[in-house]
Amino acid sequence: KALETLEAACDCVEPWGPGIEARDCWFWTPYSLCADKWTLERPLAALAGDAAHLLSPVGGFGMNVGVGDAASLGWRLAAVLNGWLEPGAALSGYEAERREAWARCNDYVVSE
């Protein structure tokens, strides 16, 4: 059904190009999910990447936000290991910072 719908929407004689035939097609539904809570105080834990949020693969935003999560957690963990920050203080702004980054990308993906 998806292939017929797509070909009808193309409104042309050879929608895939001269001599090209589509073998399969399916409908895809974009998705966007975000965890309610990204950090725990006891035991000290944080979610990052797909464990914290899922974005449709449109534009590669999901991977980019996940890499940003890892970078943010990385400097925070380094600060704890070097004695510059207490563990609780290191994670205090993580969730707000990364949730904002996810929301920005989510708004863009959903609006397109």
Side-chain angles (χ1 to χ4, degrees), residues 3-86:
L3 186 56
E4 292 85 20
T5 302
L6 184 59
E7 286 176 340
C10 289
D11 192 33
C12 56
V13 177
E14 292 183 294
W16 310 110
I20 298 173
E21 178 184 338
R23 305 223 32 197
D24 197 7
C25 184
W26 62 91
F27 288 113
W28 178 74
T29 303
Y31 54 83
S32 180
L33 304 168
C34 186
D36 292 333
K37 190 157 181 63
W38 293 25
T39 58
L40 293 174
E41 290 181 28
R42 300 212 186 274
L44 192 59
L47 297 177
D50 287 353
H53 47 73
L54 292 174
L55 287 166
S56 291
V58 176
F61 292 110
M63 185 178 85
N64 287 317
V65 175
V67 169
D69 295 348
S72 182
L73 278 177
W75 78 258
R76 292 165 191 275
L77 293 173
V80 170
L81 292 174
N82 284 296
W84 304 328
L85 286 173
E86 292 295 320

